[in-house]
Structures are given as C-alpha cells and as structure tokens.
Amino acid sequence: MDLSDAAQELYAVLPRDFTARRTALAREAKDSGNKDLAKEIIALPKPAAGAWAINILAVNKPEVIDGVVRFGVALRHAQEEGDAEAFRELGQRRQAELATAVKAAKDLAGELGAGLSAAAAADVEQTIRAAMSDAGAAAAVVTGRLVRGLSSSGFEAVDLSGAIAAGSPEDTVPRQPEPDPRPQPARKPAPQTPAKAKAKAPGEDATSLAERRAAKRQAALTEATADYETADKEARGAEETANGTWEAVKALERRRKEVRSNLEDAKKRLASLEAELIGITRDAEAAESTNKQAVRTATQKRRAADQAKRRLERLG
C-alpha cells in the first residue's frame, strides 16, 4: 500500500467514518514498518461534502463522470474551433447534463446514508461545471480523491492547488475519453491547411493569440446569453406563478375580512342575547319566587275558609 492507494480508499468512505478509517490505515502502515507513510496518511485532510460526493460518483458510478468528461470535451472543442452553432446547441444541453450529474450524486449519497445539503449539492454542480469547461478539472474529478470543490470563471484555468489528495502531475493530465455515443451537433469542417504554408509574419503569433482570446470571450458571451435567456424564461414563469398565487392571496384576504366582520357581528349579537338571557333569567327567578309566595298565601286562605265553613256548619 502506498499513499495513493490509501487515499483512493479513504476518500470514498462515508464522511462520518473518515477519521476512524484514516487512523486505521495509518496504523496499518506503521505496523508494517512504514512510519513515513503513516505520517502522510494522518496528514490527509477530510474532504468537503461536495468533493466527497464527486469522489463516490467516480468510484461507484464512473459512467456519470465519464459522461461529464465526454460532454466537456465536445463543449471545449466547439469553443476552440469557434463553432458558434455547435457551442450554442451544447450550451442549451449543458444545464440538463449538470442536473443529471448532480441528481446522480445526491441519489448515491442518500443511498449510502449521507444525504447532501443544499450547499454541498451546489458545490457538486460548481465542480461539474468546472470539469466541463477545463480539461485539468475534468482529469481531477476522475481521480476520486478530491479534497475540495472546483470552480471555473470561464476565462482562467481552474485552480487545482491542494484540490487532490496525494496528487501527482499525472492527476491533472487530461485523459482521452471514449467517444460520446449520443448525437453531437454538426460541426463545420475545419479549414484545410495549404500544402505550402507561408512563413509567419512578425507579430502573427500575437495576432493569432488575440484572435483566440477574442473567440473565447465571444464563446463565453454566447454561453452567458444562453444562460440569461434560460434564466429569464424561468423567471417569467416564476413571476406568472407568483402573480397567480398573489390573486389567490388577495381573494383569501377579502374572504378573511368578510368572515372576521361576520364574526364581530355574531359576537355583538351573542353579547346582546347573553344580556337578554341574564335579564330573562332574573325575571323568571323573581316570578318563580312570587308564584311560590302566592301559592303559600292561597293555601293559607283556603285553610282559613275551610275552618270557617266547618264552624258555620256546626252552628247551623
């Protein structure tokens, strides 16, 4: 086992198991008498969540990473050749390719019991985007030993410093991917080189470099335009949805005010009825008391009348 082998295994384990496995691998190296290797293993940093998700794709689903690499080759070739039509068509496909790869990473992480946060998923997308735009970044994601996510400005080469654990110069050398089996946009034929090329005039190299830079800027502008058009379309759709939901909110607000008004009226009516009930109850209790007193008086009078009647009968 060397450092590369140890890193290859270590950077594919679950994040929660990273420290324990790193310690175990270092112990194995030390027990085998390789103390220097043990120190190098212990020094390996824990990968960011997004980088780990790329690593497990490279190990468990290499076809996903291969698809990203192949697509990036086609995209860069169209850009370098100045084929605006092919670049535009590939640019329109790029978001779908990105979404597919990010979903694969999220699904795989979930299957392994370590779901990705929104920030980690965004890091995955940014890294895949960088791999599509830069050959060195594409080679880096293939290693399965990323320590951190990658990002691309679209103009400068992707910064790979400290991005690969146990890295070597070979890790950033682009490999030649298998041809993409999916149909690719038709490309314009490359201009034929004359059999007898003329000698370059002074300053011709500088002019050619400026032209390449201008073409790259134009390609980036085309890409940004496509991104804007897509984002603007999505924004308009979201605005239409928001307008619809706002109408629903206003309708519900009107209904809420109506119900609240009805409730207030009902409360006032209830208070009036409660007051009336209290008065009726009080009057009923007074009437009941009067009735009881009248019954007692009537009973007493009837008893006195009965006694007078009996006395009259005795005297008669």
Side-chain angles (χ1 to χ4, degrees):
M1 175 178 68
D2 59 15
L3 183 61
S4 179
D5 293 334
Q8 203 70 53
E9 175 185 349
L10 185 59
Y11 282 83
V13 302
L14 292 173
R16 59 175 174 267
D17 299 331
F18 180 87
T19 302
R21 187 56 188 152
R22 181 178 61 185
T23 301
L25 288 172
R27 185 180 300 109
E28 290 176 16
K30 185 176 182 180
D31 291 344
S32 65
N34 196 336
K35 294 183 179 180
D36 290 338
L37 176 59
K39 291 179 181 179
E40 290 177 327
I41 292 174
I42 284 294
L44 291 173
K46 185 175 181 178
W52 171 79
I54 296 291
N55 293 339
I56 60 172
L57 273 184
V59 172
N60 297 284
K61 291 189 175 181
E63 68 277 7
V64 175
I65 297 298
D66 286 343
V68 169
V69 172
R70 286 195 298 267
F71 184 80
V73 168
L75 191 66
R76 292 193 301 277
H77 181 71
Q79 182 177 359
E80 291 166 0
E81 292 296 318
D83 190 341
E85 181 179 354
F87 187 80
R88 182 168 51 254
E89 293 179 14
L90 288 167
Q92 292 172 348
R93 275 179 46 197
R94 184 176 61 173
Q95 192 57 42
E97 297 286 338
L98 281 168
T100 298
V102 172
K103 183 178 186 302
K106 292 170 69 175
D107 290 347
L108 180 57
E111 291 170 9
L112 296 176
L116 297 181
S117 66
D123 197 22
V124 169
E125 179 175 349
Q126 182 173 264
T127 299
I128 293 173
R129 190 184 295 273
M132 288 180 175
S133 66
D134 184 87
V141 301
V142 172
T143 66
R145 302 196 308 275
L146 283 183
V147 175
R148 60 172 175 81
L150 307 176
S151 62
S152 171
S153 65
F155 296 98
E156 303 294 336
V158 173
D159 180 16
L160 299 175
S161 57
I164 306 172
S168 65
E170 290 77 12
D171 291 329
T172 56
V173 176
R175 62 181 179 82
Q176 294 299 322
E178 295 296 327
D180 193 337
R182 294 168 296 186
Q184 298 294 328
R187 293 186 182 126
K188 297 178 182 177
Q192 299 297 318
T193 304
K196 295 182 179 180
K198 296 181 179 180
K200 293 183 178 180
E204 185 174 345
D205 286 340
T207 301
S208 177
L209 178 59
E211 290 174 347
R212 288 199 299 273
R213 287 178 175 173
K216 191 170 183 179
R217 284 195 296 271
Q218 182 59 42
L221 178 61
T222 302
E223 177 186 357
T225 301
D227 288 345
Y228 165 72
E229 291 173 351
T230 300
D232 184 59
K233 182 178 179 181
E234 292 175 351
R236 287 197 300 270
E239 287 168 351
E240 290 177 3
T241 300
N243 288 336
T245 56
W246 177 239
E247 290 301 323
V249 168
K250 289 193 292 185
L252 289 171
E253 180 62 25
R254 288 193 296 269
R255 180 56 181 160
R256 180 167 63 177
K257 290 180 179 178
E258 180 182 348
V259 171
R260 182 177 292 163
S261 176
N262 292 340
L263 179 60
E264 292 298 325
D265 291 342
K267 286 180 178 179
K268 292 177 182 178
R269 177 60 178 158
L270 177 60
S272 176
L273 291 173
E274 286 177 343
E276 185 177 354
L277 177 61
I278 292 172
I280 292 173
T281 301
R282 184 171 58 247
D283 293 343
E285 290 174 350
E288 184 178 354
S289 176
T290 301
N291 174 258
K292 288 179 180 180
Q293 182 62 38
V295 169
R296 284 196 297 270
T297 300
T299 301
Q300 292 172 356
K301 296 296 183 181
R302 175 51 57 190
R303 189 178 300 119
D306 289 344
Q307 289 175 355
K309 182 180 179 181
R310 287 193 297 270
R311 180 181 177 191
L312 178 61
E313 289 174 349
R314 285 195 304 271
L315 293 174

Coordinates of all heavy atoms in Angstrom, one line a residue, residues 27-100:
R27 N -2.3 3.2 11.1 CA -1.8 2.2 12.0 C -1.3 1.0 11.2 O -0.2 0.4 11.5 CB -2.9 1.7 12.9 CG -2.5 0.7 14.0 CD -3.6 0.3 14.9 NE -4.1 1.4 15.6 CZ -5.3 2.0 15.4 NH1 -6.1 1.4 14.5 NH2 -5.8 3.0 16.1
E28 N -2.0 0.6 10.1 CA -1.5 -0.5 9.3 C -0.2 -0.2 8.7 O 0.7 -1.0 8.6 CB -2.6 -0.7 8.1 CG -3.9 -1.3 8.6 CD -4.9 -1.5 7.5 OE1 -4.4 -1.4 6.3 OE2 -6.1 -1.6 7.7
A29 N 0.0 1.1 8.2 CA 1.3 1.4 7.6 C 2.4 1.4 8.7 O 3.5 0.9 8.4 CB 1.2 2.8 7.0
K30 N 2.1 1.9 9.8 CA 3.1 1.9 10.9 C 3.4 0.5 11.4 O 4.6 0.2 11.6 CB 2.5 2.7 12.1 CG 3.5 2.9 13.2 CD 2.9 3.8 14.3 CE 3.9 4.0 15.4 NZ 3.4 4.9 16.5
D31 N 2.4 -0.3 11.5 CA 2.7 -1.7 11.9 C 3.5 -2.5 10.8 O 4.2 -3.4 11.2 CB 1.3 -2.5 12.1 CG 0.6 -2.0 13.3 OD1 1.2 -1.3 14.1 OD2 -0.6 -2.2 13.4
S32 N 3.4 -2.0 9.6 CA 4.2 -2.7 8.5 C 5.6 -2.1 8.4 O 6.4 -2.5 7.6 CB 3.5 -2.6 7.2 OG 3.4 -1.2 6.8
G33 N 5.9 -1.2 9.3 CA 7.2 -0.6 9.4 C 7.4 0.7 8.6 O 8.5 1.2 8.4
N34 N 6.3 1.2 8.0 CA 6.5 2.4 7.2 C 5.9 3.6 7.9 O 4.8 4.0 7.7 CB 5.7 2.2 5.8 CG 6.1 3.2 4.8 OD1 6.6 4.3 5.1 ND2 5.9 2.9 3.5
K35 N 6.7 4.1 8.8 CA 6.3 5.3 9.6 C 6.1 6.5 8.8 O 5.2 7.3 9.1 CB 7.3 5.5 10.7 CG 7.5 4.4 11.7 CD 8.5 4.8 12.8 CE 8.6 3.6 13.9 NZ 9.6 4.0 14.9
D36 N 6.9 6.7 7.8 CA 6.7 7.9 6.9 C 5.4 7.9 6.2 O 4.7 8.9 6.2 CB 7.8 8.0 5.9 CG 9.2 8.3 6.5 OD1 9.2 8.8 7.6 OD2 10.2 8.0 5.9
L37 N 5.0 6.7 5.7 CA 3.7 6.6 5.1 C 2.6 6.9 6.1 O 1.6 7.5 5.8 CB 3.5 5.2 4.4 CG 2.2 5.0 3.8 CD1 1.9 6.0 2.7 CD2 2.1 3.5 3.2
A38 N 2.7 6.4 7.3 CA 1.7 6.6 8.3 C 1.5 8.1 8.6 O 0.4 8.5 8.7 CB 2.1 5.9 9.6
K39 N 2.6 8.8 8.6 CA 2.5 10.3 8.9 C 1.8 10.9 7.7 O 1.0 11.9 7.9 CB 3.9 10.9 9.0 CG 4.6 10.4 10.3 CD 6.0 11.1 10.4 CE 6.7 10.6 11.7 NZ 8.0 11.2 11.8
E40 N 2.1 10.5 6.5 CA 1.5 11.1 5.3 C 0.0 10.8 5.3 O -0.9 11.7 4.9 CB 2.1 10.5 4.0 CG 3.5 11.0 3.8 CD 4.2 10.4 2.6 OE1 3.8 9.2 2.3 OE2 5.0 11.1 1.9
I41 N -0.4 9.6 5.7 CA -1.8 9.2 5.7 C -2.6 10.1 6.8 O -3.7 10.6 6.5 CB -2.0 7.7 6.0 CG1 -1.5 6.9 4.8 CG2 -3.5 7.4 6.3 CD1 -1.5 5.4 5.1
I42 N -2.0 10.2 8.0 CA -2.6 11.0 9.0 C -2.8 12.5 8.6 O -3.7 13.1 9.0 CB -1.8 10.9 10.3 CG1 -2.0 9.6 11.0 CG2 -2.1 12.1 11.3 CD1 -3.4 9.4 11.5
A43 N -1.9 12.9 7.7 CA -2.0 14.3 7.3 C -3.0 14.6 6.2 O -3.3 15.7 5.8 CB -0.6 14.8 6.7
L44 N -3.6 13.5 5.6 CA -4.6 13.7 4.6 C -5.8 14.4 5.1 O -6.4 14.0 6.1 CB -5.0 12.3 4.0 CG -4.0 11.6 3.2 CD1 -4.5 10.2 2.8 CD2 -3.6 12.3 1.9
P45 N -6.3 15.5 4.5 CA -7.4 16.2 5.1 C -8.7 15.6 4.7 O -8.9 14.9 3.7 CB -7.3 17.6 4.4 CG -6.6 17.3 3.0 CD -5.7 16.1 3.3
K46 N -9.7 15.8 5.5 CA -11.1 15.3 5.3 C -11.7 16.1 4.1 O -11.6 17.3 4.1 CB -11.9 15.5 6.5 CG -13.3 14.9 6.4 CD -14.1 15.0 7.7 CE -15.5 14.3 7.6 NZ -16.2 14.4 8.9
P47 N -12.3 15.5 3.2 CA -12.9 16.2 2.0 C -14.1 16.9 2.4 O -14.9 16.6 3.3 CB -13.2 15.1 1.0 CG -13.5 13.9 1.9 CD -12.5 14.0 3.1
A48 N -14.4 18.0 1.7 CA -15.6 18.7 1.8 C -16.8 17.8 1.3 O -16.5 16.9 0.5 CB -15.6 20.0 1.0
A49 N -18.0 18.1 1.8 CA -19.1 17.2 1.4 C -19.3 17.1 -0.1 O -19.6 16.1 -0.6 CB -20.4 17.7 2.1
G50 N -19.2 18.3 -0.8 CA -19.4 18.3 -2.2 C -18.3 17.5 -2.9 O -18.6 16.7 -3.9
A51 N -17.0 17.6 -2.5 CA -15.9 16.9 -3.0 C -16.1 15.4 -2.8 O -15.9 14.5 -3.7 CB -14.6 17.3 -2.4
W52 N -16.6 15.0 -1.6 CA -16.9 13.6 -1.3 C -17.9 13.0 -2.2 O -17.8 11.9 -2.7 CB -17.3 13.4 0.1 CG -17.8 12.1 0.4 CD1 -17.1 10.9 0.7 CD2 -19.2 11.6 0.5 NE1 -17.9 9.9 0.9 CE2 -19.2 10.3 0.8 CE3 -20.4 12.3 0.4 CZ2 -20.4 9.5 1.0 CZ3 -21.6 11.6 0.5 CH2 -21.6 10.2 0.8
A53 N -18.9 13.8 -2.5 CA -20.0 13.3 -3.4 C -19.4 13.1 -4.8 O -19.8 12.1 -5.5 CB -21.1 14.3 -3.5
I54 N -18.5 13.9 -5.3 CA -17.9 13.7 -6.6 C -17.0 12.4 -6.5 O -17.0 11.6 -7.5 CB -17.0 14.9 -7.0 CG1 -17.8 16.1 -7.2 CG2 -16.2 14.6 -8.2 CD1 -18.7 16.1 -8.4
N55 N -16.3 12.2 -5.4 CA -15.5 11.0 -5.3 C -16.3 9.7 -5.4 O -15.8 8.8 -6.0 CB -14.7 11.1 -3.9 CG -13.7 12.2 -3.9 OD1 -13.3 12.7 -4.9 ND2 -13.3 12.7 -2.7
I56 N -17.4 9.7 -4.7 CA -18.2 8.4 -4.7 C -18.8 8.2 -6.1 O -19.0 7.0 -6.4 CB -19.3 8.4 -3.6 CG1 -20.3 9.6 -3.8 CG2 -18.7 8.5 -2.2 CD1 -21.5 9.5 -2.8
L57 N -19.1 9.3 -6.8 CA -19.5 9.1 -8.2 C -18.4 8.4 -9.0 O -18.6 7.5 -9.8 CB -19.9 10.4 -8.8 CG -21.3 10.9 -8.6 CD1 -21.5 12.2 -9.4 CD2 -22.4 9.9 -9.1
A58 N -17.2 8.9 -8.9 CA -16.0 8.4 -9.6 C -15.8 7.0 -9.3 O -15.4 6.2 -10.2 CB -14.8 9.3 -9.3
V59 N -16.0 6.6 -8.0 CA -15.8 5.2 -7.6 C -16.9 4.3 -7.9 O -16.7 3.1 -8.5 CB -15.4 5.1 -6.1 CG1 -15.4 3.7 -5.6 CG2 -14.2 5.9 -5.8
N60 N -18.1 4.7 -7.6 CA -19.3 3.8 -7.7 C -20.1 3.9 -9.0 O -20.7 3.0 -9.4 CB -20.3 4.1 -6.6 CG -19.6 3.8 -5.2 OD1 -19.5 2.6 -4.8 ND2 -19.2 4.8 -4.5
K61 N -20.0 5.1 -9.6 CA -20.8 5.3 -10.9 C -19.9 6.1 -11.9 O -20.1 7.2 -12.2 CB -22.0 6.1 -10.7 CG -23.1 5.3 -9.9 CD -24.4 6.1 -9.9 CE -25.5 5.2 -9.2 NZ -26.8 5.9 -9.2
P62 N -18.8 5.4 -12.3 CA -17.8 6.2 -13.2 C -18.4 6.6 -14.5 O -18.0 7.5 -15.1 CB -16.7 5.1 -13.4 CG -17.4 3.8 -13.1 CD -18.3 4.1 -12.0
E63 N -19.5 5.9 -14.9 CA -20.2 6.3 -16.2 C -20.7 7.7 -16.1 O -20.8 8.4 -17.1 CB -21.3 5.3 -16.5 CG -22.5 5.3 -15.6 CD -22.3 4.5 -14.3 OE1 -21.2 4.0 -14.1 OE2 -23.3 4.3 -13.6
V64 N -21.1 8.2 -14.9 CA -21.6 9.5 -14.8 C -20.5 10.5 -15.0 O -20.6 11.5 -15.7 CB -22.2 9.8 -13.4 CG1 -22.6 11.2 -13.2 CG2 -23.4 8.8 -13.2
I65 N -19.3 10.3 -14.3 CA -18.2 11.2 -14.5 C -17.7 11.1 -16.0 O -17.3 12.1 -16.6 CB -17.0 10.8 -13.5 CG1 -17.5 11.0 -12.1 CG2 -15.8 11.6 -13.8 CD1 -17.9 12.4 -11.7
D66 N -17.7 9.9 -16.6 CA -17.3 9.8 -18.0 C -18.2 10.6 -18.9 O -17.7 11.3 -19.8 CB -17.3 8.3 -18.4 CG -16.2 7.5 -17.8 OD1 -15.2 8.1 -17.4 OD2 -16.2 6.3 -17.8
G67 N -19.5 10.6 -18.6 CA -20.4 11.4 -19.4 C -20.1 12.9 -19.3 O -20.1 13.6 -20.2
V68 N -19.7 13.3 -18.0 CA -19.4 14.7 -17.8 C -18.1 15.1 -18.6 O -18.0 16.1 -19.3 CB -19.1 15.0 -16.3 CG1 -18.5 16.4 -16.1 CG2 -20.5 14.9 -15.6
V69 N -17.1 14.2 -18.5 CA -15.8 14.4 -19.2 C -16.1 14.5 -20.8 O -15.5 15.4 -21.4 CB -14.8 13.3 -18.9 CG1 -13.6 13.5 -19.7 CG2 -14.5 13.4 -17.4
R70 N -16.8 13.5 -21.3 CA -17.1 13.5 -22.7 C -17.8 14.8 -23.2 O -17.5 15.4 -24.2 CB -17.9 12.3 -23.1 CG -17.1 11.0 -23.1 CD -17.9 9.9 -23.8 NE -19.2 9.6 -23.2 CZ -19.4 8.7 -22.3 NH1 -18.3 7.9 -21.9 NH2 -20.6 8.5 -21.8
F71 N -18.8 15.2 -22.4 CA -19.6 16.4 -22.8 C -18.6 17.6 -22.7 O -18.7 18.4 -23.6 CB -20.7 16.5 -21.8 CG -21.6 17.7 -22.2 CD1 -22.6 17.6 -23.2 CD2 -21.5 18.9 -21.5 CE1 -23.4 18.7 -23.5 CE2 -22.3 20.0 -21.9 CZ -23.2 19.9 -22.9
G72 N -17.8 17.6 -21.7 CA -16.8 18.8 -21.6 C -15.9 18.8 -22.8 O -15.6 19.9 -23.3
V73 N -15.4 17.7 -23.3 CA -14.5 17.6 -24.4 C -15.3 18.2 -25.7 O -14.7 19.0 -26.4 CB -14.1 16.2 -24.7 CG1 -13.4 16.1 -26.1 CG2 -13.1 15.7 -23.6
A74 N -16.5 17.8 -25.9 CA -17.3 18.3 -27.0 C -17.5 19.8 -26.9 O -17.4 20.6 -27.9 CB -18.6 17.6 -27.1
L75 N -17.8 20.3 -25.7 CA -18.1 21.7 -25.4 C -16.8 22.5 -25.7 O -16.9 23.5 -26.4 CB -18.6 21.9 -24.0 CG -19.1 23.2 -23.6 CD1 -20.4 23.5 -24.4 CD2 -19.4 23.3 -22.1
R76 N -15.7 22.1 -25.2 CA -14.5 22.8 -25.4 C -14.0 22.8 -26.8 O -13.4 23.8 -27.3 CB -13.4 22.3 -24.4 CG -13.7 22.5 -22.9 CD -12.4 22.3 -22.1 NE -11.9 20.9 -22.2 CZ -12.4 19.9 -21.5 NH1 -13.4 20.0 -20.7 NH2 -11.9 18.7 -21.7
H77 N -14.2 21.7 -27.5 CA -13.8 21.6 -28.9 C -14.6 22.6 -29.7 O -14.0 23.3 -30.6 CB -14.0 20.2 -29.4 CG -13.6 20.0 -30.8 ND1 -12.3 20.0 -31.2 CD2 -14.4 19.9 -32.0 CE1 -12.3 19.8 -32.6 NE2 -13.5 19.8 -33.0
A78 N -15.9 22.6 -29.5 CA -16.7 23.6 -30.2 C -16.3 25.0 -29.9 O -16.3 25.9 -30.8 CB -18.2 23.4 -29.8
Q79 N -15.9 25.3 -28.7 CA -15.4 26.6 -28.3 C -14.1 27.0 -29.0 O -13.9 28.0 -29.5 CB -15.3 26.7 -26.8 CG -14.9 28.1 -26.3 CD -14.8 28.1 -24.8 OE1 -15.1 27.1 -24.1 NE2 -14.4 29.2 -24.2
E80 N -13.2 26.0 -28.9 CA -11.9 26.2 -29.5 C -11.9 26.4 -31.0 O -11.2 27.2 -31.6 CB -10.9 25.1 -29.1 CG -10.6 25.1 -27.6 CD -10.0 23.8 -27.2 OE1 -9.8 22.9 -28.1 OE2 -9.6 23.6 -26.0
E81 N -12.9 25.7 -31.7 CA -13.0 25.7 -33.1 C -13.8 27.0 -33.5 O -13.9 27.2 -34.7 CB -13.7 24.5 -33.6 CG -12.9 23.2 -33.5 CD -11.6 23.2 -34.3 OE1 -11.7 23.7 -35.5 OE2 -10.5 22.8 -33.8
G82 N -14.4 27.7 -32.6 CA -15.2 28.8 -32.9 C -16.5 28.5 -33.6 O -17.1 29.3 -34.3
D83 N -17.0 27.2 -33.4 CA -18.2 26.8 -34.0 C -19.4 27.2 -33.1 O -19.8 26.6 -32.1 CB -18.2 25.2 -34.0 CG -19.3 24.7 -34.9 OD1 -20.3 25.4 -35.0 OD2 -19.3 23.5 -35.3
A84 N -19.9 28.4 -33.4 CA -20.9 29.0 -32.5 C -22.2 28.2 -32.5 O -22.8 28.1 -31.4 CB -21.2 30.5 -33.0
E85 N -22.5 27.6 -33.6 CA -23.8 26.8 -33.7 C -23.7 25.6 -32.8 O -24.6 25.3 -32.0 CB -24.1 26.4 -35.1 CG -25.4 25.6 -35.2 CD -25.7 25.3 -36.7 OE1 -24.9 25.7 -37.6 OE2 -26.7 24.5 -36.9
A86 N -22.6 24.9 -32.9 CA -22.4 23.7 -32.1 C -22.3 24.1 -30.6 O -22.9 23.4 -29.7 CB -21.2 22.9 -32.5
F87 N -21.6 25.2 -30.3 CA -21.4 25.6 -28.9 C -22.8 26.0 -28.3 O -23.0 25.7 -27.2 CB -20.4 26.8 -28.9 CG -20.1 27.2 -27.5 CD1 -19.1 26.5 -26.8 CD2 -20.7 28.3 -26.9 CE1 -18.8 26.8 -25.5 CE2 -20.4 28.6 -25.6 CZ -19.4 27.9 -24.9
R88 N -23.6 26.7 -29.1 CA -24.9 27.1 -28.6 C -25.8 25.9 -28.3 O -26.5 25.8 -27.3 CB -25.6 28.0 -29.7 CG -26.9 28.5 -29.2 CD -27.4 29.7 -30.1 NE -27.4 29.3 -31.5 CZ -26.5 29.7 -32.4 NH1 -25.6 30.6 -32.0 NH2 -26.6 29.4 -33.7
E89 N -25.8 24.9 -29.2 CA -26.6 23.7 -29.0 C -26.1 22.9 -27.8 O -26.9 22.5 -27.0 CB -26.5 22.8 -30.3 CG -27.2 23.4 -31.5 CD -27.1 22.5 -32.7 OE1 -26.8 21.3 -32.5 OE2 -27.4 23.0 -33.8
L90 N -24.8 22.8 -27.6 CA -24.2 22.1 -26.4 C -24.5 23.0 -25.2 O -24.8 22.4 -24.1 CB -22.7 21.9 -26.6 CG -22.3 20.9 -27.6 CD1 -20.8 21.0 -28.0 CD2 -22.7 19.5 -27.1
G91 N -24.5 24.3 -25.3 CA -24.8 25.1 -24.2 C -26.2 24.9 -23.7 O -26.5 25.0 -22.5
Q92 N -27.1 24.7 -24.6 CA -28.5 24.5 -24.3 C -28.7 23.2 -23.6 O -29.6 23.0 -22.8 CB -29.4 24.6 -25.5 CG -29.5 26.0 -26.1 CD -30.2 26.0 -27.5 OE1 -30.4 25.0 -28.1 NE2 -30.5 27.2 -27.9
R93 N -27.8 22.2 -23.9 CA -27.9 20.9 -23.3 C -27.2 20.8 -21.9 O -27.4 19.9 -21.1 CB -27.2 19.8 -24.2 CG -28.1 19.2 -25.2 CD -27.4 18.2 -26.1 NE -26.6 17.3 -25.3 CZ -25.6 16.5 -25.8 NH1 -25.3 16.6 -27.1 NH2 -25.0 15.7 -25.0
R94 N -26.3 21.8 -21.7 CA -25.4 21.7 -20.5 C -26.2 21.7 -19.2 O -25.8 20.9 -18.3 CB -24.4 22.9 -20.5 CG -23.4 22.8 -19.4 CD -22.4 23.9 -19.5 NE -23.1 25.2 -19.3 CZ -22.5 26.4 -19.2 NH1 -21.1 26.4 -19.2 NH2 -23.1 27.5 -19.1
Q95 N -27.2 22.5 -19.1 CA -27.9 22.5 -17.8 C -28.6 21.2 -17.5 O -28.6 20.7 -16.4 CB -29.0 23.6 -17.8 CG -29.6 23.9 -16.5 CD -28.6 24.3 -15.4 OE1 -27.7 25.1 -15.7 NE2 -28.7 23.8 -14.2
A96 N -29.1 20.5 -18.5 CA -29.7 19.2 -18.3 C -28.6 18.2 -17.9 O -28.8 17.3 -17.1 CB -30.4 18.7 -19.6
E97 N -27.4 18.3 -18.5 CA -26.3 17.4 -18.2 C -25.9 17.6 -16.7 O -25.6 16.7 -16.0 CB -25.1 17.6 -19.1 CG -25.4 17.3 -20.6 CD -25.4 15.8 -20.9 OE1 -24.9 15.1 -20.1 OE2 -26.0 15.5 -21.9
L98 N -25.8 18.9 -16.4 CA -25.4 19.3 -15.0 C -26.4 18.7 -14.0 O -26.1 18.1 -13.0 CB -25.3 20.8 -14.8 CG -24.1 21.5 -15.3 CD1 -24.3 23.0 -15.3 CD2 -22.9 21.2 -14.4
A99 N -27.7 18.9 -14.3 CA -28.8 18.4 -13.4 C -28.7 16.9 -13.3 O -28.9 16.4 -12.2 CB -30.1 18.9 -14.0
T100 N -28.5 16.2 -14.4 CA -28.4 14.7 -14.3 C -27.3 14.3 -13.4 O -27.5 13.4 -12.5 CB -28.2 14.2 -15.7 OG1 -29.4 14.5 -16.5 CG2 -28.1 12.7 -15.7

